[in-house]
Amino acid sequence: MGLFSSRNADRQADRDRRAREYDEAARKARKEADKYRRMLRNGESDPAALREALKDAEYEVRTAEHNARVFRGR
């Protein structure tokens, strides 16, 4: 029984680690999305390109948040 509980603990530790990595990825993507929102609001650069970059960053946030939830089992 000890071998299985050790494997389960290792798997859970790995899932926790991966969830933290996805949390960090979501935080970085959120920061990038905020940067693009600010640039759009200030009228900087090409609005169409900024909207596309914002859409990509928001997708990255959603994906990372989803993956973190999956690895947490929620």
Side-chain angles (χ1 to χ4, degrees):
M1 179 105 173
L3 179 62
F4 290 118
S5 64
S6 175
R7 282 187 198 161
N8 288 338
D10 289 345
R11 287 184 185 134
Q12 184 61 46
D14 186 50
R15 285 192 297 266
D16 291 343
R17 179 187 56 79
R18 291 185 71 182
R20 284 191 304 274
E21 289 172 358
Y22 282 118
D23 284 337
E24 180 65 19
R27 186 189 67 76
K28 287 180 181 178
R30 224 175 277 115
K31 185 176 179 181
E32 187 173 347
D34 290 343
K35 176 181 75 172
Y36 291 132
R37 279 190 203 95
R38 194 170 34 258
M39 290 172 73
L40 265 171
R41 199 172 34 246
N42 293 336
E44 298 177 25
S45 191
D46 178 23
L50 286 174
R51 277 192 294 276
E52 188 66 29
L54 176 59
K55 187 170 75 171
D56 290 344
E58 288 173 339
Y59 175 79
E60 291 295 323
V61 170
R62 285 191 311 273
T63 302
E65 288 174 343
H66 167 77
N67 288 340
R69 279 192 308 275
V70 166
F71 279 102
R72 282 196 184 86
R74 294 183 203 148

